[in-house]
Each structure stands twice: as structure tokens, then as C-alpha cells.
């Protein structure tokens, strides 16, 4: 059988992380992305942050909520290297961690909506749309489910060592 047409497998036969997983992580950690981009402006670093987050408290909450996405990204990198092994039980639960992070992001979106007295803005509408799509992808993607189940409880290296 020729499996060369399956592009989501790497050279070792493990499922590669889906691109949409990375996009969800960037969406959740967008506060950190804006912070990193603001560091590149030498003249006025706060101007870029204020463009996306007029309220300082919203920006700080986005940083706190986005920290979980950075941890999930670290677990994805650990899975690609298949080490350290203590990450494996956490990796199996990443779907629920992502759900929790999206719920926190939804609560922050609701708070922003309340603070703006429920006035519609394009940024909140876009955030709500991306949140909705991320939730659908999290529960309906078979590739993402296969990816989270790809790091087995006992690998071939551990079977040979015992």
C-alpha cells in the first residue's frame, strides 16, 4: 500500500499538528503576539497595544488568558520531539485545556461587550466569529482528535527497555 498521498503524517508515521491548531493558539495568544509586535516599535510601544486594547485591563487579561496557549504550544513541541515523557498525560487532555482557554476567551469577550454597553464593534464581532469557529473545529475535527491520540501511553522505546 502506498500512503504517500496522506500529507498529515511525518516521516516517522506520526500525525503532524494541524495548521488550524496553530491558528487557534495564535488566536488565543493574540495578546502576546501584539506585545511581541509592540516591542519592535522603538518610538512608541504603547501605541500599538492601545490600538488593539484601548483598556489596559483588557490587555493584561489577554496576556493572562494567552499564557495557557503558550503552555499548549510547549506541549505540542514536546509531542513533536516525543520527550519529556511527563508531558504525555497532559498532552492527552489538550482538547479540554483548549476548551477551557476558549471559554476564558469567551468570558473576556463578554466582559468587553458589557464594558462597551453592548455596542457592536468589528473587533468584537470578529473575535466572536473566530471563537465560534474554533469551538466547532475543536469538536468536529477528526484530524485534531487523531493528533491528540497519537502519542500513545506506552511507546515502542519503552517496550524495548523493559
Amino acid at each position: 500500500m502506498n500512503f504517500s498521498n496522506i500529507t498529515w503524517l511525518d516521516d516517522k508515521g506520526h500525525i503532524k499538528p494541524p495548521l488550524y491548531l496553530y491558528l487557534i493558539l495564535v488566536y488565543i495568544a493574540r495578546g502576546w503576539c501584539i506585545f511581541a509586535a509592540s516591542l519592535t516599535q522603538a518610538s512608541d510601544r504603547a501605541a500599538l497595544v492601545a490600538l488593539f486594547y484601548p483598556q489596559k485591563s483588557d490587555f493584561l487579561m489577554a496576556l493572562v488568558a494567552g499564557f495557557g496557549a503558550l503552555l499548549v504550544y510547549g506541549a505540542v513541541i514536546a509531542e513533536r520531539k516525543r520527550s519529556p515523557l511527563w508531558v504525555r498525560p497532559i498532552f492527552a487532555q489538550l482538547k479540554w485545556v483548549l476548551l477551557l482557554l476558549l471559554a476564558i476567551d469567551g468570558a473576556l469577550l463578554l466582559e468587553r461587550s458589557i464594558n462597551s454597553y453592548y455596542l457592536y464593534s468589528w473587533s468584537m464581532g470578529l473575535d466572536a466569529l473566530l471563537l465560534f469557529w474554533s469551538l466547532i473545529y475543536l469538536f468536529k475535527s477528526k484530524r485534531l482528535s487523531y493528533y491528540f491520540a497519537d502519542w500513545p501511553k506506552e511507546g515502542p522505546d519503552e517496550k524495548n527497555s523493559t
Side-chain angles (χ1 to χ4, degrees):
M1 297 179 101
N2 184 3
F3 290 103
S4 62
N5 60 344
I6 300 177
T7 59
W8 41 271
L9 295 177
D10 63 6
D11 296 337
K12 297 177 184 176
H14 301 295
I15 298 174
K16 292 189 266 184
L19 175 65
Y20 295 115
L21 174 63
Y22 290 123
L23 293 176
I24 289 172
L25 291 176
V26 167
Y27 166 69
I28 295 171
R30 65 191 176 277
W32 285 97
C33 296
I34 292 169
F35 174 70
S38 73
L39 293 177
T40 61
Q41 279 188 329
S43 61
D44 190 13
R45 292 189 172 127
L48 182 65
V49 173
L51 180 66
F52 291 98
Y53 295 101
Q55 301 290 327
K56 185 178 180 180
S57 61
D58 290 342
F59 175 64
L60 294 176
M61 291 302 292
L63 289 178
V64 170
F67 186 73
L70 298 177
L71 295 177
V72 170
Y73 181 67
V76 169
I77 290 173
E79 184 274 332
R80 297 309 304 151
K81 295 181 179 184
R82 300 289 176 167
S83 68
L85 294 178
W86 60 267
V87 177
R88 188 177 4 186
I90 299 167
F91 185 79
Q93 303 301 320
L94 282 188
K95 182 176 187 176
W96 303 110
V97 173
L98 282 173
L99 178 64
L100 175 67
L101 291 174
L102 288 171
I104 290 171
D105 200 67
L108 290 175
L109 179 64
L110 184 64
E111 179 195 4
R112 279 181 26 212
S113 176
I114 291 170
N115 289 340
S116 68
Y117 302 105
Y118 302 104
L119 292 175
Y120 179 78
S121 71
W122 286 103
S123 65
M124 285 194 294
L126 184 62
D127 281 350
L129 183 66
L130 290 173
L131 179 68
F132 180 69
W133 281 343
S134 298
L135 287 170
I136 289 175
Y137 180 75
L138 186 63
F139 285 106
K140 292 295 184 180
S141 173
K142 291 201 181 280
R143 181 176 173 188
L144 189 64
S145 298
Y146 292 152
Y147 173 68
F148 287 146
D150 189 42
W151 199 357
K153 300 236 184 271
E154 188 175 309
D157 297 334
E158 296 164 32
K159 288 179 184 176
N160 295 336
S161 65
T162 56

